[in-house]
Amino acid sequence: MSQVRLYRPPVSLTWWLRKPSYLVFMLRELSSVFIAWFVAYLLMLVYAVGSGPGAYRDFLDLSANPALVVLNVIALAFVLLHTVTWFGLAPKAMVIRLGALRVPPNVILAAHYGAWLVVSAVVAWVVLR
Amino acid sequence: MPESITMEVWRYRPERESEPTWDSYEVPLRKEWAVLDGLNHIKDQLDGTLSYRWSCRMGICGSCGMTVNGEPKLGCSTFLTDYAPGPVRVEPLHNFPVIRDLVVEMGDFMAKLPTVKPWLVGDDEPDEDTEYRQTPVEMDDYKRYSMCINCMLCYAACPVYALDPEFIGPAAIALAQRYNLDSRDAGAEDRRDVLASAEGVWACTFVGECSVACPKDVDPAGAIQRYKLTAANKAVRDLLLPRGAR
Amino acid sequence: MTTKRSPEPLLWLLFSSGGMVAAMLVPVLLFLFGVAFPLGWLTAPGHDYLASVVSHPVTLLVLFGLCVLALFHWAHRFRYTLYDGLQLKRYRVPIGILCYGGAIAGSVVVALVLLRAI
Ligand code: SF4
Ligand code: FES
């Protein structure tokens, strides 16, 4: 066989802009940066609470800074994207059986959202009580 | 409905051009015509030099994979009317080297496939007349993964494969799971070295596009995700249990 | 291939557990402390009450688990984002050190801050 000259299409650096689904994937992966930011923010809060009422006041004032609020709103959007995509994918890895029956993926999905609701309600109740 | 539709076809003829080009053809727009029928019309009536693969015309052989308006599709199962008024852009499958026009080189997959041993591995050679019984429930475990027709749409959809050609890829892993989950198979341990390697399931970041592209609803992304869980469980067991107890 | 010694499965388990706890806990916490209190939609709890909640052993345990796992979740995803998004897989060793080293260092900070709250 004679040598064929193959054409190898290049992969562009912006391949994730080619399709909406690729872009959503990239945003989903970037949500991890905002989760790391949340950890830092939470530590600032805990540190302030541990330092006494004055430091806690300062933290509340700082958190009302418009730039920080904007950052946190963006972070919240990414975190929600994380939650929704995470729950969407989790049933794929899980095969749960009850006897011979396989629990349908929709039920697993609904269970995740149910658990999320309960956990969120408990956290809100503890914080706001 | 308009009478005809424009098909823009990606052309690469290595003896003529070093860079690919596009050719446009007007083909009749008929309700029952798939993209493949349009290509056949071009080849028969307009331009006999066009190269592409096909065989069964019914979504079974897996040879007519191509990119239609940016998405990996089976040419025989994708209808021209869905793209009216056109134009329809037809390219070879992404992520593969192109031999000519719409014909891609799949040697990479062919080399990877046997490494996951996609066949029933037995403990020992069975007698001539051994019957392997299986209940419908046991069959359900793997049936979905057995529907694969090796059409490579999932590889074309996978950005990880595009970036890291060493990745063994969606269909190969789904086919490995087709046997791992078969009650008659004893080869899971043999397949583990390849599946649980850095170029196996751990290369996958769960983009999920392979399962979207698959025309047979094989769900390779799910197969990979399930195997990650299996491999992680095994690794933890290896770590915690002494050799004998595994 | 020396797969049985590969750290990938453990890193993936940390990533997955982190993804799950973050999905469950982060939205509500970030909404309350990052948006609702600063904008005055809800009144922030007083210092004494919050201090008693934070220093409770159960809270400390939950916060520790959440923070550490979330950091390893970040490390894993961010590593792959650099591989795929910026096509930097050839630098996998420094990227690995940066991401997981960051998560380990972050975990130490988490432990110090939480110990201080007791
Ligand atoms: S898994 Fe689906 S898309 Fe991939 S080769 Fe098999 S049939 Fe085609
Ligand atoms: S020609 Fe066989 S699958 Fe399309």
Side-chain angles (χ1 to χ4, degrees):
Chain A
M1 203 177 83
S2 68
Q3 198 60 40
V4 262
R5 201 156 49 84
L6 296 175
Y7 175 76
R8 289 173 194 278
V11 183
S12 100
L13 204 56
T14 52
W15 61 266
W16 39 274
L17 290 176
R18 199 171 68 74
K19 281 206 241 175
S21 51
Y22 289 167
L23 183 62
V24 172
F25 161 74
M26 221 48 195
L27 294 176
R28 182 192 92 188
E29 300 296 287
L30 278 179
S31 71
S32 63
V33 173
F34 293 94
I35 285 178
W37 155 248
F38 165 79
V39 172
Y41 188 69
L42 185 69
L43 287 181
M44 280 156 58
L45 168 66
V46 173
Y47 189 86
V49 170
S51 306
Y56 177 55
R57 263 286 110 234
D58 291 346
F59 174 84
L60 289 182
D61 289 345
L62 178 73
S63 72
N65 181 311
L68 211 53
V69 174
V70 169
L71 174 63
N72 277 330
V73 168
I74 297 172
L76 184 62
F78 272 93
V79 168
L80 286 172
L81 175 71
H82 166 72
T83 299
V84 171
T85 51
W86 190 267
F87 290 169
L89 296 179
K92 294 236 178 205
M94 295 182 194
V95 175
I96 302 172
R97 262 173 223 292
L98 289 177
L101 286 182
R102 187 173 163 172
V103 179
N106 301 348
V107 175
I108 301 181
L109 186 70
H112 277 86
Y113 277 101
W116 185 36
L117 220 66
V118 172
V119 168
S120 301
V122 169
V123 170
W125 179 74
V126 169
V127 171
L128 295 170
R129 192 163 52 131
Chain B
M1 197 160 83
E3 294 282 281
S4 67
I5 188 166
T6 308
M7 292 183 76
E8 291 174 357
V9 185
W10 195 94
R11 303 299 306 269
Y12 172 63
R13 287 146 294 192
E15 72 287 354
R16 272 183 48 184
E17 55 224 356
S18 58
E19 283 298 309
T21 57
W22 292 89
D23 278 347
S24 277
Y25 306 95
E26 280 296 306
V27 304
L29 182 60
R30 306 223 174 102
K31 188 163 95 331
E32 68 284 1
W33 268 25
V35 170
L36 181 63
D37 296 297
L39 294 175
N40 285 340
H41 175 84
I42 295 171
K43 181 136 181 125
D44 293 345
Q45 312 291 333
L46 306 174
D47 182 351
T49 67
L50 182 63
S51 300
Y52 51 99
R53 287 196 185 107
W54 63 285
S55 174
C56 70
R57 296 182 1 271
M58 50 190 283
I60 289 296
C61 71
S63 53
C64 66
M66 52 190 74
T67 309
V68 183
N69 279 13
E71 302 287 337
K73 295 279 180 195
L74 292 181
C76 68
S77 316
T78 306
F79 287 88
L80 285 173
T81 46
D82 291 339
Y83 296 89
V88 190
R89 285 170 85 88
V90 186
E91 295 165 78
L93 281 182
H94 289 164
N95 305 343
F96 290 93
V98 183
I99 300 173
R100 160 179 217 97
D101 297 342
L102 305 178
V103 179
V104 297
E105 151 73 300
M106 317 200 310
D108 179 57
F109 172 73
M110 294 307 175
K112 283 170 182 161
L113 187 55
T115 66
V116 301
K117 304 199 175 173
W119 52 79
L120 285 179
V121 175
D123 283 329
D124 38 28
E125 274 303 302
D127 306 339
E128 283 282 297
D129 45 23
T130 306
E131 231 186 300
Y132 284 102
R133 302 225 182 158
Q134 191 167 58
T135 65
V137 174
E138 287 170 330
M139 189 168 145
D140 267 351
D141 276 339
Y142 67 83
K143 184 154 177 235
R144 184 175 208 186
Y145 306 135
S146 73
M147 305 307 279
C148 175
I149 56 173
N150 298 2
C151 65
M152 300 293 101
L153 299 197
C154 50
Y155 284 74
C158 176
V160 175
Y161 182 62
L163 296 164
D164 179 7
E166 302 288 303
F167 177 37
I168 60 175
I173 298 175
L175 284 163
Q177 281 289 68
R178 179 252 169 274
Y179 291 94
N180 276 345
L181 297 171
D182 189 319
S183 58
R184 301 162 297 180
D185 178 83
E189 213 31 54
D190 292 359
R191 296 184 192 100
R192 184 173 159 199
D193 275 353
V194 175
L195 288 180
S197 70
E199 304 308 343
V201 291
W202 302 121
C204 165
T205 46
F206 211 159
V207 184
E209 283 295 291
C210 51
S211 293
V212 176
C214 178
K216 291 292 171 184
D217 202 21
V218 171
D219 191 16
I224 296 174
Q225 210 53 17
R226 264 183 92 175
Y227 194 80
K228 284 183 187 170
L229 203 58
T230 309
N233 277 336
K234 288 217 168 110
V236 169
R237 208 168 297 172
D238 281 359
L239 210 65
L240 299 181
L241 293 182
R243 285 215 158 262
R246 276 175 213 161
Chain C
M1 269 176 271
T2 53
T3 57
K4 304 225 162 116
R5 297 241 150 254
S6 151
E8 288 297 349
L10 285 178
L11 297 177
W12 182 79
L13 281 176
L14 286 170
F15 157 76
S16 305
S17 345
M20 192 56 96
V21 291
M24 290 281 172
L25 286 168
V26 176
V28 60
L29 285 171
L30 190 56
F31 172 74
L32 289 175
F33 288 98
V35 183
F37 298 150
L39 292 181
W41 296 350
L42 294 165
T43 336
H47 174 265
D48 291 349
Y49 173 67
L50 205 56
S52 74
V53 170
V54 167
S55 57
H56 192 281
V58 175
T59 319
L60 287 174
L61 209 66
V62 170
L63 290 182
F64 183 74
L66 168 64
C67 291
V68 169
L69 291 174
L71 285 175
F72 277 92
H73 172 82
W74 163 79
H76 199 76
R77 267 208 165 151
F78 195 60
R79 168 170 71 122
Y80 280 102
T81 310
L82 294 178
Y83 285 2
D84 298 344
L86 299 178
Q87 301 186 13
L88 296 176
K89 198 159 183 182
R90 55 189 180 280
Y91 302 119
R92 64 183 87 196
V93 176
I95 288 176
I97 294 173
L98 172 84
C99 292
Y100 295 106
I104 292 169
S107 303
V108 174
V109 176
V110 170
L112 291 178
V113 171
L114 289 179
L115 281 177
R116 204 174 147 275
I118 291 178

